Amino acid sequence: MTRTADAVVIGGGIVGCATAYNLAKKGLKKVVLVEERYLAGGATGRCGAGVRMQWGTEPNCVLSRDSIKIFENLEEELSYHDSIEFKQSGYLLLAYNEKMVEQFHKNLGLQHKLDIPSRWVTPEECQDLVPHISLQGLHGGTFCHKDGHCNPFKATDAYAKAAQRLGVEILTYTKVTNLLQDRDKISGVETTAGIIETPLVIGCAGAHTMELGRMVGVELPIYPERHQILVTEPVAEKQGPMIMSFYHGIYCQQVPHGGFVMGLGDPNEVKDYDEDSSWQFMHEMAAKITFILPALKDLNVVRQWGGLYDLTPDKTQILGAIPEVPGFYVAAGFSGHGFMIAPVVGELMADVMLGEQPKYPIDMYGVKRFESGELYVEPSVV
Amino acid sequence: MSDCKCKDKDLNIVCRCEDITIEEVRAYIDNGVTDLEQLKRMLRVGMGPCQGRTCTPIIIRELSVATGKPVGEVPLTTFRPPTSPVKLGVLAGGEEDD
Ligand SMILES: Cc1cc2nc3c(=O)[nH]c(=O)nc-3n(C[C@H](O)[C@H](O)[C@H](O)COP(=O)(O)OP(=O)(O)OC[C@H]3O[C@@H](n4cnc5c(N)ncnc54)[C@H](O)[C@@H]3O)c2cc1C
């Protein structure tokens, strides 16, 4: 069966759903979103869903600052009848050596220029914010009360439902198997449910966006990397802020439902599509978190799982048109922080796809930076 | 374990860990959420300590009725470790299992 669309969005994570919603909101009539599994079945549904403005590069600071403003009113904007469980109790970033203290002060300087309400906190002030934190080895940290986290399934569902109300058609359990071209230009997508003819395609397929690029002969520097995460049984509220330590490569938050969600980045992880969870992760995670937050030792772990980061060489996302293939756009390579910037990314992508001036310049996120060498290396990632 | 914020006792609880009723499950199914992966994520059924040992068979029957698929063909969700809850302190190696 062949059908036609004004635009096809590939991928039903938060980025694809936010982009489809914004395309329809801008008046595009026939938008089709194609998702291989179910909505939020990729990184989005597996992520920590933390949102923070405390970054080390201007692009990430600005994208997250403005996305958090959108999260604050998302239920209203999308007329969502459920809750996205947005909890704004801040992020406390911990420093364990002098080099980190220096980097954090540099980051604060940048953040303050961009009106981000972050501040330096002494070890004792860290304990005021998170009473069960251990002072061992702690040099201090930075805190921003506007940071927080939400429920990623609900946030994606909110965008998807609003998009559907505006006429977007969502095809789940449908995989894009090829991109079709008329000479260079995009002319359609081939899916497991037939061909969709369209002049506009956007790849929001996480790490799999690399494969979409290959379908049109473009090599996108995006690599999959497994990250693991676990959740404990729910307990009464005891931790407001999300805590994060780049030294230990970990983060830990208590979600409104009561469980503690925590994950860690493993520098030795191989770059492939493995999403399985490992026994080693549980031990390493438990050892690190009980060093930082000893009181958590009595909590029971109920579930662990894995998901994929879509990494780029400078750990900054690739956004925009692919110049060799008119009609083909990409929003991927989020390197572990795509959830928190998705609200603004969805708006920007809809603007550029419709030939309008986006609300901020996005050229610096273009794929050409890897040839010219003008990279934006983000220092503050786990 | 979890503090039970029990609702009306007369309701039919299917998921005891998360305190979810059959009525809540049916409401989602009626709204077109007819796969277990989605129900789990929207309602937390099967996300508690027992990982769905009680609720999954009941929900599978509901989904089978709703979709017309035989019970054996309704896709299950991935089972996540650990098989039963383990304390962080035990995993960290600092304490004996009790
Ligand atoms: C463990 C972990 C923790 C994280 N923590 C955070 C955090 O705290 N804060 C934060 O901001 N970010 C976090 N991230 C990163 C975040 O999850 C991602 O950046 C974000 O969800 C990206 O959304 P997406 O829509 O681009 O990708 P995805 O959610 O991966 O969506 C891509 C979708 O495309 C589909 N797809 C792929 N190929 C095809 C095809 N050929 N045809 C059709 N569909 C296809 C996939 O099935 C998938 O559903 C974390 C990630 C992980 C793994």
Side-chain angles (χ1 to χ4, degrees):
Chain A
M1 185 185 75
T2 298
R3 54 166 117 199
T4 59
D6 296 328
V8 170
V9 176
I10 306 171
I14 184 105
V15 174
C17 292
T19 303
Y21 163 75
N22 279 288
L23 283 169
K25 188 180 161 195
K26 291 185 138 293
L28 211 59
K29 289 277 171 312
K30 275 176 89 177
V31 179
V32 179
L33 183 149
V34 185
E35 164 55 49
E36 181 180 353
R37 295 188 259 193
Y38 44 92
L39 296 182
T44 300
R46 298 160 184 272
C47 81
V51 304
R52 63 171 155 124
M53 306 181 192
Q54 299 184 80
W55 285 97
T57 58
E58 182 163 340
N60 282 332
C61 285
V62 170
L63 289 176
S64 57
R65 180 196 66 195
D66 294 357
S67 290
I68 287 175
K69 271 187 213 140
I70 299 177
F71 277 121
E72 284 170 353
N73 300 304
L74 197 67
E75 288 155 6
E76 214 172 304
E77 163 166 358
L78 302 177
S79 307
Y80 193 50
H81 296 304
D82 204 337
S83 163
I84 63 163
E85 296 166 27
F86 188 33
K87 171 177 167 186
Q88 237 170 339
S89 316
Y91 254 66
L92 176 61
L93 306 184
L94 304 170
Y96 283 92
N97 59 33
E98 276 313 310
K99 209 170 133 231
M100 279 178 183
V101 172
E102 213 174 289
Q103 179 70 47
F104 280 11
H105 277 104
K106 218 157 70 197
N107 293 356
L108 285 175
L110 171 72
Q111 290 157 12
H112 293 166
K113 262 202 334 220
L114 300 168
D115 292 325
I116 291 172
S118 50
R119 61 185 162 97
W120 175 257
V121 283
T122 63
E124 290 68 33
E125 288 168 330
C126 289
Q127 232 170 18
D128 293 341
L129 291 163
V130 178
H132 52 286
I133 204 164
S134 160
L135 294 180
Q136 203 178 336
L138 188 60
H139 282 52
T142 64
F143 181 71
C144 172
H145 69 278
K146 290 269 186 182
D147 297 346
H149 49 86
C150 53
N151 179 324
F153 314 120
K154 297 288 175 83
T156 306
D157 186 52
Y159 271 115
K161 289 221 165 75
Q164 282 171 317
R165 278 199 303 276
L166 294 173
V168 173
E169 188 182 353
I170 295 181
L171 306 175
T172 54
Y173 296 104
T174 307
K175 182 177 179 166
V176 169
T177 48
N178 207 357
L179 298 179
L180 308 176
Q181 287 169 284
D182 179 4
R183 287 196 208 127
D184 292 335
K185 253 179 90 28
I186 283 288
S187 61
V189 303
E190 183 189 279
T191 77
T192 47
I195 286 172
I196 310 173
E197 289 174 349
T198 182
L200 274 182
V201 168
I202 176 159
C204 310
H208 297 276
T209 310
M210 176 185 71
E211 292 153 29
L212 299 177
R214 286 192 181 153
M215 293 172 186
V216 287
V218 175
E219 212 44 51
L220 297 167
I222 301 174
Y223 318 98
E225 183 184 273
R226 175 179 68 175
H227 278 246
Q228 300 189 64
I229 182 163
L230 63 78
V231 64
T232 71
E233 63 189 318
V235 288
E237 192 182 347
K238 70 196 261 166
Q239 184 174 318
M242 163 92 99
I243 64 124
M244 198 162 201
S245 162
F246 301 118
Y247 181 81
H248 301 94
I250 63 114
Y251 55 87
C252 171
Q253 81 215 46
Q254 186 178 22
V255 298
H257 175 255
F260 279 76
V261 172
M262 56 189 87
L264 85 95
D266 177 356
N268 302 318
E269 192 67 61
V270 282
K271 307 264 179 292
D272 73 12
Y273 288 111
D274 178 14
E275 281 187 339
D276 291 346
S277 36
S278 75
W279 184 236
Q280 295 88 320
F281 159 74
M282 284 243 259
H283 286 294
E284 195 182 336
M285 184 76 239
K288 288 181 165 170
I289 204 65
T290 52
F291 173 81
I292 301 174
L293 305 172
L296 301 197
K297 72 179 184 356
D298 293 324
L299 289 187
N300 276 305
V301 177
V302 292
R303 223 158 1 95
Q304 68 168 136
W305 65 96
L308 298 176
Y309 272 24
D310 43 345
L311 283 181
T312 65
D314 58 1
K315 300 191 173 157
T316 299
Q317 50 286 343
I318 302 173
L319 306 178
I322 301 301
E324 294 87 349
V325 188
F328 183 42
Y329 295 79
V330 162
F334 290 100
S335 306
H337 51 270
F339 181 80
M340 66 181 83
I341 60 175
V344 170
V345 166
E347 290 183 2
L348 295 175
M349 297 317 295
D351 287 339
V352 288
M353 287 175 77
L354 300 181
E356 293 171 18
Q357 187 70 31
K359 107 171 151 183
Y360 329 107
I362 67 159
D363 296 347
M364 67 273 213
Y365 306 121
V367 70
K368 287 290 164 228
R369 71 178 186 271
F370 301 105
E371 286 168 23
S372 68
E374 286 168 64
L375 304 184
Y376 277 87
V377 182
E378 175 54 63
S380 307
V381 289
V382 160
Chain B
M1 196 150 290
S2 73
D3 336 40
C4 175
K5 32 184 193 322
C6 291
K7 301 166 204 165
D8 188 345
K9 285 277 187 315
D10 296 335
L11 292 175
N12 299 301
I13 304 282
V14 278
C15 171
R16 286 191 220 131
C17 303
E18 297 291 331
D19 212 16
I20 308 292
T21 64
I22 192 78
E23 289 77 12
E24 287 171 289
V25 172
R26 284 184 185 143
Y28 271 91
I29 294 176
D30 290 346
N31 275 318
V33 183
T34 54
D35 74 71
L36 196 58
E37 292 281 10
Q38 286 281 75
L39 280 176
K40 167 179 163 189
R41 284 165 179 77
M42 300 302 293
L43 269 170
R44 298 184 199 273
V45 283
M47 279 195 178
C50 93
Q51 293 223 34
R53 283 190 188 83
T54 322
C55 63
T56 300
I58 304 172
I59 298 172
I60 292 286
R61 273 202 303 279
E62 292 287 321
L63 287 173
S64 160
V65 171
T67 60
K69 273 189 197 159
V71 168
E73 284 173 27
V74 177
L76 293 168
T77 54
T78 315
F79 191 85
R80 309 285 188 197
T83 26
S84 56
V86 199
K87 280 191 178 150
L88 279 167
V90 172
L91 289 165
E95 272 176 44
E96 291 303 306
D97 204 344
D98 48 24

